[in-house]
Amino acid sequence: MKKIILLTFLISFAINAQIKLPRLISDGMILQRDTKVNIWGWASANENIELDFKGKKYKTIASEDGKWSIQLSSQKAGGPFEMTLKGINTIVLKNILFGDVWLCSGQSNMELPMDRLKDKYKEVIAKSENSNIRQFLVPDEYYFEKERNDFSTGSWVEANPINVLQFTGVGYFFATEIYEKYKVPIGLINSALGGSPAESWINEEGIKKFPEYYQEYLKFKDGKLEKEIDANDRKVSSDWYKLLNETDLGLKNKWKNTTDVSDWKTMNIPGYWVDGELGNLNGSVWFKKEFTLGKIKESQAKIILGRIIDADSVFVNGNFVGTTSYQYPPRIYSFNSSLLKEGKNEITIRVINNSGRGGFVTDKPYELIIGDKTIDLKGSWNYKLGSKMLPLPGQTFVRWKPVGLYNAMIAPIKNYPLKGVLWYQGEANTKKPLEYTALMETLINTWRTELKQEKLPFLLVQLPNFMDPKTEPTESNWAVLRQQQSKVLEIPNTGMAVAIDLGEWNDIHPLNKSDVGKRLALQARKLVYGEKKLVTSGPIFKSMKQKDEQLVLSFDSLGTGLMNKGGNTLNGFAIAGADGKFVWAKAVIEDDKVMVWNNDIRNPVKVRYAWADNPFNANLYNQENLPASPFEAGLK
């Protein structure tokens, strides 16, 4: 028995004594150039650690709790290098580069991978081979109890046509711009999560400045409430879908195979069934469309079905070709054309809507592509109700609660020096937009303090245009939040890419991530890389004065001059008198100022520009083709 106990102890000691490195410190990593760099990890208490790099040896001893850290001297950009660490065990790290490391964070528009953009940027992806651009993908996790010291998964990967599909789209386009300009290796740490509000990315100490969020955080800190909610949400969702599937006549009667639609009704696609005979219902609705083909050559086929709310399963001649479980991704399903036949063919779609307006998002592509032939799928479809359900009860998204994402997705980065931060977020805070500047000031200062980089550059993306355009001036939480984002620029070492012209009215995830990345790169080139004379922004409101019955507006970031893009009329301005009621205004550019007026407003005191969820016609730019940032201002 003593021998067994001794053997167990020796095995346990041998395992625990191994040098262990955080996942960021691994093969293929890019370390920040031109600054001292920490290499850290864990070992047994008082274990001797030796690091060998570029012929120089560094030594340290692990502390009583097994932590150790070695600081490398500042290194110029370059590589690849190897690094050897020795304790009781030996670890050799290979393919190390020194360059610039950028943290990419925020919500879904930062997280959105190149895979979702592959149809739009086919050539970009095909030419993406570049070992000097790399990404570390942080796992989507949250944790409330304390700050984690490592990620559960993750590794550094080089850009190539396969790996790049998992890169953040915005980050990748930013990286390619910076690399082409400076030829310095670029590392992206992709730490973003869809739907996340700013407060979920702030640490426990910082969130104390916001009592409501701090109290909410305390409810989740011990993990008990989190488990209860998650278990309840899973059960509610599971029961809803189970009942749906049990009562769906389409599944029971195998409508994916039926060709008899004599008792089916018709609906135009794209569109929403709430606008038709079905009305406002949730559950499953089946759709069918018949079409005729001539002789088919063997090739790949692809069906594009815009976006569908909420989930879909698609069948071609009864054969399953694809499914998507939530509303946001574009529906693009590839399949072998052998599933098609000469003569009559049929597409069947089962659509599940669990709340809100179910159907097919308008102003999106709906087509079948076979080789070089395209068949338009818009128009009349047959439909039949599969199962009518009560709406799925709302879920509690615990992962978005305060502090949780900071603890799991930011804290493990604290020892890893960065060049800067790219931040694309705000959609999740539009319900309470007035607090956004304070949240972001706390977030930025917290990150700078915890990363021990007091002047860490922070570049954000202003919210793009989204939702239905309005024909009259109106209030807008999205506009208020954009104004709050502009105020973040009062914090030193910050920059903002205006994206008011890069959105899509019907998609919260616009596909144009190339121009977003390029505009962030412009900000970085001036703020971080020292191109002081570079024009990096469109016009930024500076001041105004009243002249007769007009308001005269002055701007910074004029570039080589103001212009109204796309026509002779300058659009997007509204003014108000003392009553605060805004009306559309006429506007002209004179001597790089904007004159604004409305003949019915005798004494204008307030002005707004591009003040809407989707200011679709706002067209004030500078000659460098960069859009003016939206704003609201009043006479002092």
Side-chain angles (χ1 to χ4, degrees), residues 8 54 58 81 212 316 318 347 404 445 474 505-506 522 527 543 592 601:
T8 302
K54 294 174 67 174
Y58 303 78
F81 303 109
E212 177 185 350
V316 173
I347 297 172
N445 289 336
T474 185
W505 75 268
N506 59 359
L522 280 176
L527 180 68
S543 63
D592 279 335
I601 306 295

Side-chain angles (χ1 to χ4, degrees), residues 128-250:
S128 62
E129 189 87 33
N130 189 341
S131 63
N132 287 301
I133 295 178
R134 302 179 183 181
Q135 176 182 266
F136 184 97
L137 180 58
V138 172
D140 291 341
E141 295 179 348
Y142 60 92
Y143 195 61
F144 298 107
E145 183 179 342
K146 61 182 179 180
E147 295 181 11
R148 286 182 172 169
N149 56 23
D150 198 8
F151 301 119
S152 61
T153 63
S155 60
W156 287 94
V157 296
E158 301 176 356
N160 61 46
I162 300 300
N163 291 338
V164 80
L165 295 177
Q166 301 307 314
F167 278 45
T168 155
V170 168
Y172 178 71
F173 284 112
F174 171 87
T176 57
E177 287 288 308
I178 297 300
Y179 179 76
E180 287 302 315
K181 182 68 179 177
Y182 305 109
K183 300 301 180 185
V184 172
I186 302 295
L188 304 173
I189 300 177
N190 182 357
S191 182
L193 180 65
S196 57
E199 58 268 22
S200 62
W201 297 99
I202 297 173
N203 70 0
E204 179 178 358
E205 187 61 30
I207 211 67
K208 290 178 181 178
K209 297 178 182 178
F210 306 90
E212 177 185 350
Y213 292 134
Y214 181 59
Q215 292 303 316
E216 186 176 26
Y217 161 66
L218 291 179
K219 295 177 183 178
F220 289 89
K221 188 173 182 178
D222 66 3
K224 294 180 181 178
L225 180 59
E226 166 196 341
K227 293 176 182 177
E228 292 174 7
I229 291 174
D230 280 348
N232 180 71
D233 282 354
R234 282 195 298 272
K235 184 178 187 307
V236 169
S237 180
S238 175
D239 289 349
W240 192 91
Y241 281 99
K242 181 182 179 183
L243 179 60
L244 172 73
N245 292 334
E246 289 174 347
T247 57
D248 190 330
L249 296 175

Side-chain angles (χ1 to χ4, degrees), residues 28 54-55 72 81 96 111 121 129 167 207 211 218 247 259 285 292 318 329 341 368 375 411 427 456 527 544 582 599:
K54 294 174 67 174
L72 300 183
F81 303 109
I96 301 167
E111 184 181 26
Y121 299 111
E129 189 87 33
F167 278 45
I207 211 67
L218 291 179
T247 57
T259 57
V285 181
T292 302
K341 59 188 178 182
L368 174 65
I375 299 172
E427 298 92 334
L456 181 68
L527 180 68
M544 74 174 177
F582 282 90
N599 291 333

